[in-house]
Amino acid sequence: MKQSASTADTTIILGSEYNEARALCAGLVEEFDQSLAEKSLELPSLPEVALKIRKALADESVSVTEIARLIGSDPALAGRILKIANSALFYRGSKPITSVHAAVSQLGHRMVRNVALSFAAQQVFIGYGSQQLRTYLSQIWQHSVHVAALAHMLARVRTKLNPDEAFLAGLLHEVGKLYILMRAKDKLEVLASENAFQAVLASWHPRLGRAVIESWQLPSELAVAVGEHQSCALEAPEPPTITEVVAVANYLAEHSEEACSDEQFFDKAPNLGSLAMDKATFDWLIRAGDVDIRLLMLAFGV
């Protein structure tokens, strides 16, 4: 007799081949389903410095000096801010930026908030031991930075949306996977090679990520983008939302290697609706932005 445990889009069949990994996956699914229904997820809190920066930046009149002071209270965050400000995506000057004050001025309030939040998210989810887990986390952050950069470029050249908001949505669109890994960290050696665990990651991370974003009291459009980027159609409506921008950026990131190696890829790509672009723009996003994206990954420490 076979049993089954249902994920959002995938059914894990537990028959004669039933094993420990599948039992653990079924347990995770049950835990997530019940916790979401009862609104009892054990969600991580943002670090204090990120909370202070978020609160300060809510005041549009806050000075660069005050923001720089807050950032300077956390040397690791200050270092990250300087690296991002000097990255190719955000800086085209001839002399490197060497002060936090100048970095804040260069990036602007929204991007400083983005860097602070992404740094905080890394700190919240990264302190969990094994090399296997660190490899997972690194892969997720590399992909997230890639999507963030593409979303920023796409919003800038194809929409009237704020590119910095698109960047943050790209950075955090897979935060739900980080939450799942946090919950499964002690069982990862058993789970890692199990296809059912990959199905749990894929199907549950949007809803769990949205719960994390909402618990951090971030903008509702960000929560929607995190929760719906995987299920929304790539054929974006007019005008597109941050959700569609992230969905298309995610598609481009996932297919970037294929697109770079196949000259006919553009002709085979799906209809992107209002985010459709000519081949020159498509090639720029896929190829010309590649160097900037790799440098940005280094700046983000991934």
Side-chain angles (χ1 to χ4, degrees):
M1 179 178 180
K2 292 188 176 183
Q3 301 171 320
S4 67
S6 177
T7 65
D9 301 310
T10 305
T11 299
I12 305 168
I13 303 299
L14 310 175
S16 57
E17 74 280 16
Y18 186 81
N19 57 33
E20 182 184 2
R22 294 193 171 204
L24 290 171
C25 287
L28 282 173
V29 167
E30 184 178 357
E31 174 193 333
F32 297 151
D33 198 27
Q34 182 175 346
S35 297
L36 280 172
E38 297 175 355
K39 297 183 179 180
S40 60
L41 283 171
E42 297 178 22
L43 298 171
S45 299
L46 281 173
E48 185 178 0
V49 67
L51 290 170
K52 287 181 177 178
I53 291 172
R54 188 191 66 184
K55 182 178 180 180
L57 290 174
D59 178 3
E60 294 183 2
S61 65
V62 67
S63 68
V64 171
T65 300
E66 174 61 15
I67 296 302
R69 184 190 67 78
L70 285 171
I71 292 170
S73 69
D74 187 322
L77 175 58
R80 175 67 57 84
I81 291 286
L82 285 167
K83 285 183 179 179
I84 302 301
N86 281 293
S87 68
L89 187 65
F90 297 109
Y91 184 61
R92 305 295 178 183
S94 57
K95 295 182 179 180
I97 294 171
T98 57
S99 74
V100 174
H101 191 284
V104 172
S105 296
Q106 171 70 26
L107 291 173
H109 285 185
R110 279 193 177 92
M111 189 53 64
V112 166
R113 176 206 61 181
N114 295 353
V115 176
L117 287 172
S118 66
F119 183 77
Q122 281 183 290
Q123 299 310 300
V124 165
F125 290 109
I126 209 166
Y128 297 102
S130 73
Q131 180 59 48
Q132 195 168 43
L133 180 56
R134 288 196 295 274
T135 298
Y136 262 114
L137 293 170
S138 178
Q139 290 171 348
I140 291 169
W141 277 113
Q142 285 180 19
H143 173 70
S144 297
V145 172
H146 192 172
V147 172
L150 289 175
H152 188 276
M153 296 173 181
L154 195 58
R156 193 172 75 238
V157 301
R158 296 296 299 131
T159 81
K160 295 180 180 179
L161 296 166
N162 188 299
D164 291 349
E165 300 300 318
F167 187 88
L168 180 60
L171 275 179
L172 297 179
H173 80 287
E174 288 199 337
V175 72
K177 287 187 178 181
L178 303 181
Y179 177 81
I180 294 171
L181 289 171
M182 182 185 74
R183 301 300 301 171
K185 65 182 186 298
D186 296 330
K187 309 155 189 168
L188 200 58
E189 186 173 343
V190 175
L191 290 169
S193 62
E194 177 56 54
N195 288 336
F197 182 59
Q198 303 306 319
V200 172
L201 281 170
S203 60
W204 280 88
H205 82 267
R207 281 179 288 173
L208 294 169
R210 181 170 187 162
V212 171
I213 298 301
E214 289 174 344
S215 76
W216 288 349
Q217 298 178 10
L218 298 178
S220 59
E221 58 269 23
L222 175 60
V224 172
V226 171
E228 299 181 9
H229 72 275
Q230 189 167 269
S231 59
C232 78
L234 288 176
E235 188 173 346
E238 181 62 54
T241 68
I242 293 290
T243 303
E244 283 87 35
V245 169
V246 172
V248 170
N250 186 54
Y251 168 80
L252 294 175
E254 288 179 342
H255 294 84
S256 61
E257 290 187 12
E258 181 184 355
C260 286
S261 62
D262 181 0
E263 286 294 330
Q264 306 304 314
F265 185 87
F266 175 79
D267 298 323
K268 297 182 287 188
N271 181 7
L272 302 180
S274 65
L275 292 175
M277 62 201 86
D278 58 30
K279 190 173 188 303
T281 303
F282 184 87
D283 286 346
W284 171 72
L285 279 171
I286 290 292
R287 293 180 175 82
D290 186 55
V291 174
D292 289 354
I293 289 166
R294 293 185 187 281
L295 291 172
L296 191 62
M297 286 181 185
L298 290 174
F300 269 88
V302 296

